[in-house]
Amino acid sequence: MTIASRAASANDYVRQHSAHPLISRQKAADIARAAVRLAGLLGIDPVNVRPDRSWNYLSLPLAPLTLHASDPDDPQQVYTFSCRDPWYDDEPFFLLGPCPVCGAEVPLAEIRSLADVGAFLTHGPEPLPEHSAPPCSYPDAFDRHPAHTSQCPYYDGDS
């Protein structure tokens, strides 16, 4: 696929997905652009990236945004990412997965390039030490993430 055709495909994706009955046109366009940005980072077509559509009027604004990326060669393999705010193009994505302690879906790796995904898939999350901060390989978003269960030592009831 040529650069021009990939660019046209990305533009078409943003144009087609810039409308949603529950959110503003601008917010829908921001979400579509975040999906295109993740697709570009992963080297896949934007049609393989699906924003989480479990929105309602009570959950606005939509930060963090959750995106599901399916592998074009194996559609059953889906990776889940989040980004704090889709409006900012320099925000990293976070690869989500089960917390090694409580099993809740939390950020396990900060993703700024395809190499970051490769490093995580190669090495996985490091073991977590008991009663101390997570290793530096975990993103800051891991510690005290609101999805941790109340029994998890990384749960913060004040979030």
Side-chain angles (χ1 to χ4, degrees):
M1 185 180 258
T2 67
I3 292 172
S5 62
R6 289 182 68 192
S9 175
N11 182 55
D12 287 344
Y13 182 92
V14 171
R15 191 177 35 77
Q16 291 172 7
H17 293 87
S18 292
H20 191 279
L22 299 178
I23 59 177
S24 73
R25 185 168 183 77
Q26 182 60 44
K27 184 59 89 171
D30 290 343
I31 292 167
R33 279 191 293 278
V36 166
R37 187 167 66 92
L38 179 61
L41 183 147
L42 296 174
I44 60 176
D45 192 290
V47 300
N48 296 101
V49 178
R50 179 179 47 83
D52 189 352
R53 300 260 185 209
S54 62
W55 312 319
N56 62 47
Y57 67 94
L58 298 174
S59 66
L60 298 176
L62 298 173
L65 172 66
T66 302
L67 299 162
H68 307 280
S70 58
D71 188 318
D73 293 336
D74 180 8
Q76 298 303 312
Q77 179 62 59
V78 178
Y79 299 94
T80 303
F81 296 85
S82 70
C83 65
R84 288 186 182 134
D85 192 333
W87 193 74
Y88 297 103
D89 288 341
D90 60 347
E91 285 284 324
F93 290 99
F94 294 99
L95 181 59
L96 303 180
C99 170
V101 177
C102 69
E105 189 168 82
V106 296
L108 294 179
E110 184 173 303
I111 305 299
R112 291 187 180 272
S113 72
L114 187 57
D116 295 333
V117 177
F120 181 82
L121 295 177
T122 300
H123 304 292
E126 286 185 60
L128 290 167
E130 285 191 41
H131 311 295
S132 66
C136 63
S137 63
Y138 283 81
D140 290 342
F142 170 82
D143 197 20
R144 308 292 178 224
H145 190 271
H148 288 288
T149 65
S150 59
Q151 294 78 31
C152 186
Y154 300 101
Y155 171 78
D156 183 7
D158 297 331
S159 314

